[in-house]
Amino acid sequence: MSANSNAQTSYSISDLSKEFDITTRSIRFYEDQGLLKPKRRGQTRIYSLKDRVRLKLILRGKRLGFSLAETRRLFELYDADKSSVTQLNTMLALIEEKKASLQQQMDDIKVVLMELTSAEAQCRTALDGQQKA
């Protein structure tokens, strides 16, 4: 992104699509979900800097495993309380939940890997026994 585009205050759907490497359909979906609220000039959507920042946060949230409902909740909290204290506390709670969920998944994966290793060893032992017989 060039220095000139940093000063940009409005964006077309294709601008955002190219910048974030997502489809225009995805952007329209986020709009349908109430996460983005572009202005309209006829049929043309005009996205603000706020919409661009929100899109960036939506995509970051997706990467971190947040649902669109959770992202919407954070946006609503921010819109209601610009001090963002409530939003930050909610974000911390969501992060804690995600970390706990990921830790549980890692623990489950470790157990499955141990079971697979054990099953593999039993199969190899059985094969060795049959080949020697």
Side-chain angles (χ1 to χ4, degrees):
M1 196 167 170
S2 69
N4 290 344
S5 61
N6 284 339
Q8 195 171 339
T9 59
S10 66
Y11 305 84
S12 70
I13 195 167
S14 60
D15 291 338
L16 295 177
S17 173
K18 288 174 191 163
E19 179 179 350
F20 293 106
D21 194 28
I22 59 173
T23 64
T24 56
R25 185 175 177 193
S26 295
I27 296 171
R28 286 190 297 271
F29 176 75
Y30 298 141
E31 182 184 340
D32 291 343
Q33 296 299 306
L35 296 168
L36 300 173
K37 296 175 177 109
K39 292 179 182 166
R40 299 261 184 176
R41 190 175 300 136
Q43 290 293 92
T44 305
R45 293 169 168 85
I46 309 295
Y47 294 89
S48 66
L49 185 57
K50 179 181 177 180
D51 290 318
R52 183 187 166 279
V53 169
R54 283 187 177 220
L55 181 56
K56 188 174 185 175
L57 291 171
I58 292 164
L59 298 174
R60 181 178 296 157
K62 276 184 60 177
R63 263 194 334 272
L64 295 173
F66 293 111
S67 69
L68 292 181
E70 289 167 330
T71 300
R72 182 182 310 103
R73 185 170 152 215
L74 290 170
F75 287 169
E76 288 167 354
L77 289 170
Y78 179 77
D79 290 342
D81 175 15
K82 297 286 191 227
S83 73
S84 74
V85 170
T86 305
Q87 182 190 32
L88 290 171
N89 284 325
T90 302
M91 183 71 168
L92 285 171
L94 288 172
I95 287 170
E96 193 173 308
E97 288 173 26
K98 294 294 175 204
K99 285 174 66 176
S101 174
L102 287 170
Q103 186 61 55
Q104 183 61 55
Q105 288 176 3
M106 281 179 35
D107 293 345
D108 293 345
I109 289 169
K110 286 177 186 174
V111 168
V112 170
L113 280 171
M114 287 181 354
E115 290 173 0
L116 287 171
T117 300
S118 174
E120 180 184 34
Q122 290 172 358
C123 288
R124 292 193 188 285
T125 301
L127 274 175
D128 286 347
Q130 287 183 2
Q131 289 174 352
K132 291 178 183 176

